Amino acid sequence: MAGIVPLSQDWEPVVLRKKAPNAAAKKDEKAVNTARRAGAEIETIKKSAAGSNKSASSSTSLNTRKLDEETENLTHDRVPTELKKAIMQARMEKKLTQSQLAQLINEKPQVIQEYESGKAIPNQQIITKLERALGAKLRGKK
């Protein structure tokens, strides 16, 4: 049994201390109020344009004058009459309703309705889907 050391306990006290508050904690409202109550010195810094969102709005003023001087009425392209008629004819030949056609191309029935009434803004992807579903060439030669 030589070389075995009897177990002994260390009864020294262990002291745990809280760390000093870091920069983020010093800005915390609770920490500031605690410091005020304790009479500590509190430094307040006003940052210029903080919370005013000035940098984002300053760039728009450059374009405002151009927009004011613009006299031409600009509108979105609408579905041409030939395309409206072509969609309607092809759909009728296939004996499909607007909602059935919409289901075939995974769009809402409202999309087909807008294309046939000419209110839609032409989207080449949707027109391609319509051509595939109806098996007809809707656009002119490219």
Side-chain angles (χ1 to χ4, degrees):
M1 289 272 215
I4 297 176
V5 181
L7 294 175
S8 64
Q9 292 183 350
D10 184 13
W11 292 100
E12 285 296 310
V14 176
V15 181
L16 301 174
R17 291 194 179 90
K18 259 189 173 177
K19 285 190 300 182
N22 60 4
K26 287 178 186 172
K27 292 177 186 170
D28 185 75
E29 200 174 341
K30 270 187 188 172
V32 172
N33 287 338
T34 310
R36 278 193 188 126
R37 283 190 212 103
E41 212 172 288
I42 298 167
E43 180 185 3
T44 55
I45 303 166
K46 170 77 173 118
K47 293 185 179 177
S48 64
S52 66
N53 204 11
K54 269 207 177 100
S55 60
S57 61
S58 63
S59 63
T60 57
S61 61
L62 304 171
N63 297 330
T64 314
R65 188 172 51 85
K66 286 182 190 172
L67 284 172
D68 287 341
E69 289 171 357
E70 188 65 58
T71 54
E72 188 181 346
N73 281 339
L74 302 172
T75 56
H76 288 293
D77 290 336
R78 294 282 181 231
V79 177
T81 314
E82 307 86 59
L83 182 59
K84 290 193 303 191
K85 288 178 181 170
I87 294 171
M88 284 168 115
Q89 275 182 328
R91 181 175 59 80
M92 297 292 193
E93 285 170 12
K94 288 259 185 180
K95 295 182 173 66
L96 294 169
T97 63
Q98 286 181 346
S99 55
Q100 287 170 330
L101 177 58
Q103 227 170 6
L104 277 173
I105 66 164
N106 290 327
E107 292 291 341
K108 293 180 180 167
Q110 184 184 352
V111 172
I112 305 297
Q113 189 180 344
E114 286 175 351
Y115 268 83
E116 288 188 2
S117 65
K119 291 178 185 165
I121 297 166
N123 180 339
Q124 296 305 315
Q125 287 178 319
I126 293 176
I127 295 171
T128 305
K129 284 188 204 175
L130 285 167
E131 286 178 336
R132 280 200 204 116
L134 296 170
K137 189 112 175 96
L138 301 174
R139 294 174 279 197
K141 303 267 188 302
K142 284 188 177 178

